[in-house]
Amino acid sequence: MSKKTSARSAAPSKAFATAVETYQALGVDVESALKTLAATPISMHCWQGDDVAGFEKADATLTGGIQATGNYPGKARTIDQLRQDLELVYKLLPGKHRLNLHAIYGDFGGKPVDRDTIEPKHFASWIDWGKSVGLHGMDFNPSCFSHPLSADGTLSHPDKRIREFWIRHCQASRRIGAHLGKKFGTRTVTNVWIPDASKDTPFDRVGPRKRLEASLDKVFAEKLNAKHHLDAVESKLFGIGAESYTVGSHEFYLGYALKRGNVAYCLDAGHFHPTESLADKISSVLQFAPALLLHVSRGVRWDSDHVVNCDDPTKAIFEELVRGDFLGRTAIGLDYFDASINRIAAWVIGTRAAQKALLIALLEPAKLLRDAEKSGNHALRMALLEESRALPVGAVWDEFCRRHDTPGGLGFMTEIAAYERDVLSKR
Ligand code: RNT
Ligand code: ZN
C-alpha cells in the first residue's frame, strides 16, 4: 500500500542485528519468519468502528445477545466516516490486510433495503474504496441480528416464513461474498452466525436444530466458485439472554461443516467456557475439517469481545497455527467491539497484537523444541519454552514495521491522538 506517512528510517537497528544472532543460535531464521508474517493477512472487522451499528438506518440497536459497552466519543456514523477511520487504521498496520464486512454495512444510499434483497451493487463502492487503499481482499457476513424478524430466532425459527426470510438473506450474502472474492481476486470467506438461542431451559432441543440444518442446506445449495469463495459456520456456547441453549452449538456446527465437507468451521475465542482452550481445538478441528476461520477475540469472563491483546491465550492460538503448519488452511479474522476507548486505537492495538502473536509463534525455536520432545527430554523442552518468553521479539517487530513504513513502538498512538484532535472530536 502506498499509504504510509512516516519516513522510513534508513537501516535496521543494531538491536535487530543482535536479535537475528540470538535467534540464529536457537536455529531460528528471522527472515523467513518476517516473510511469512508479511504474507499473512488479517481480516479486520469493520464493526469495531461503530459498535456494530451499520448503515441501514440511523441509531440502529444491536440485538442478538452481543453488546458493545462504552460511549467513547467520535464513533463513525456514516460510510464515509467509517472509511476515513479505516484508512488511518490500515496506514498504521504493517502489511496488507483484509476487511470483514457485515451485510448491514452496505451502501444503501439512504433508502430502505431489506436484508433479503441486498445485492452486490450495494457493496460496489466498498470494492472501489478497498481497491483504492490496496486491501488484500474482503470477507463477508450475513447479519442475522438487529432486525424485527430476528427477535425470536432466524434460520431455526418455527415460523417457515421467518426462516425463509433469513435463508434468502444468507443466500444473498453468499452471492455478495463470491462477488467480492472475484473482484479482489482473493478468496472471500462468508461466515454465517445466528443468534438463535434460549434464555431459559427449553423442552425441545431437537426441533430447532433440525430446522437449522434444513435451512443451512438451502442456504448452501447454490454452488459458488471455490476459487473466490469459502463458506464458514460459527458456533457459540452462550450469550446475554441466551444462557441456557444455543441452537448452533460447537457440536452442531462442527458436525455440519464435516457433513458438507467444503464448509469451514469458525472458532470464536469468546464462544466457549472461559476455562476451555481455543488453541487446543485447532488441531482437532483441522484433522477433519478442510478449513478453519478464526474469530480472534478476548472474552473477559464472558463473550465480552474485548480488544485482542497479545496475551497467553492469543499467543497459544497462533502457536498452534504455526506448529501445526495450519496457516495455509486458516483464515484469520478478528471479532471484538469496544466502545469504551478510542475505536481506532482499539482496531490498531488489537490487529497489531494478533500480528505480534503470530510473529512470536514464527520465532519459536521449533526445531530444538521438537527434538527435545522427541527424545523425551521434557526438562529441555520446558527450558526452551521458558527461554522463548524472553527473546528479543520487540526488535524484530520494529524491523517489520520499519520495512512496511509503519510506525514501530508506540508511534502509532501519536497519529491516533492527532486524528482524535483533528477529526473525531469534531464529529
Ligand atoms: C457473535 C459472533 C459474531 C458477531 C459478529 C458481529 O457472538 O461472535 O461473529 O460478533 O458477526
Ligand atoms: Zn464471532
Side-chain angles (χ1 to χ4, degrees), residues 163-181:
R163 280 202 308 281
E164 282 177 349
F165 174 84
W166 292 109
I167 290 169
R168 287 195 301 277
H169 174 57
C170 291
Q171 289 170 335
S173 295
R174 289 182 75 231
R175 279 182 215 125
I176 293 164
H179 179 75
L180 294 171

Side-chain angles (χ1 to χ4, degrees), residues 47 191 193 234 266 268 271 295 305 335:
W47 51 93
N191 176 50
W193 170 74
E234 180 178 4
C266 173
D268 181 309
H271 286 193
H295 273 189
D305 289 296
D335 185 12

Side-chain angles (χ1 to χ4, degrees), residues 31-321:
E31 284 304 327
S32 121
L34 289 177
K35 216 167 131 193
T36 306
L37 185 62
T40 309
I42 307 283
S43 184
M44 213 181 60
H45 53 313
C46 71
W47 51 93
Q48 163 59 43
D50 71 338
D51 316 337
V52 211
F55 304 120
E56 278 183 333
K57 54 176 189 229
D59 301 320
T61 22
L62 179 58
T63 70
I66 51 179
Q67 228 174 62
T69 50
N71 198 17
Y72 199 83
K75 99 171 180 184
R77 287 196 171 75
T78 64
I79 212 161
D80 289 335
Q81 288 179 349
L82 191 71
R83 285 178 190 157
Q84 191 187 1
D85 293 355
L86 282 165
E87 280 169 32
L88 176 59
V89 173
Y90 286 115
K91 201 179 94 182
L92 299 176
L93 300 176
K96 219 167 149 69
H97 297 286
R98 303 176 64 81
L99 179 68
N100 195 8
L101 282 177
H102 243 288
I104 50 175
Y105 287 78
D107 190 349
F108 303 117
K111 290 182 210 84
V113 177
D114 211 352
R115 306 257 174 107
D116 60 341
T117 59
I118 54 167
E119 290 178 53
K121 69 174 187 209
H122 299 120
F123 295 86
S125 69
W126 273 114
I127 296 170
D128 293 344
W129 173 85
K131 287 194 169 175
S132 77
V133 298
L135 289 190
H136 179 274
M138 289 189 176
D139 297 299
F140 202 68
N141 305 261
S143 309
C144 302
F145 52 83
S146 307
H147 188 279
L149 290 184
S150 70
D152 307 308
T154 60
L155 294 177
S156 79
H157 200 285
D159 183 335
K160 188 163 179 249
R161 276 168 316 177
I162 295 183
R163 280 202 308 281
E164 282 177 349
F165 174 84
W166 292 109
I167 290 169
R168 287 195 301 277
H169 174 57
C170 291
Q171 289 170 335
S173 295
R174 289 182 75 231
R175 279 182 215 125
I176 293 164
H179 179 75
L180 294 171
K182 199 167 164 198
K183 288 287 172 189
F184 279 95
T186 58
R187 194 176 61 175
T188 289
V189 182
T190 301
N191 176 50
V192 174
W193 170 74
I194 59 164
D196 301 29
S198 167
K199 178 185 174 89
D200 232 320
T201 316
F203 179 75
D204 176 16
R205 289 171 187 266
V206 181
R209 288 187 171 137
K210 286 198 164 147
R211 292 193 290 272
L212 177 54
E213 183 189 357
S215 295
L216 290 170
D217 285 348
K218 289 188 182 157
V219 166
F220 296 123
E222 184 180 347
K223 206 167 150 24
L224 299 169
N225 189 340
K227 245 173 65 192
H228 308 305
H229 188 256
L230 174 67
D231 291 298
V233 286
E234 180 178 4
S235 71
K236 185 162 175 168
L237 177 63
F238 71 98
I240 294 181
E243 291 82 0
S244 301
Y245 169 69
T246 295
V247 184
S249 61
H250 172 59
E251 292 77 2
F252 177 89
Y253 276 128
L254 184 58
Y256 189 80
L258 296 182
K259 165 185 128 156
R260 292 207 75 90
N262 57 355
V263 170
Y265 180 62
C266 173
L267 285 169
D268 181 309
H271 286 193
F272 295 88
H273 190 282
T275 63
E276 277 184 83
S277 159
L278 188 94
D280 180 53
K281 299 178 191 302
I282 292 171
S283 52
S284 297
V285 169
L286 281 175
Q287 181 72 23
F288 302 105
L292 176 70
L293 169 63
L294 284 178
H295 273 189
V296 184
S297 191
R298 180 165 58 101
V300 177
R301 300 196 186 277
W302 66 287
D303 181 31
S304 59
D305 289 296
H306 279 65
V307 178
V308 167
N309 287 176
C310 187
D311 55 7
D312 284 347
T314 305
K315 284 194 282 188
I317 291 171
F318 286 94
E319 280 162 12
E320 279 305 303
L321 295 186

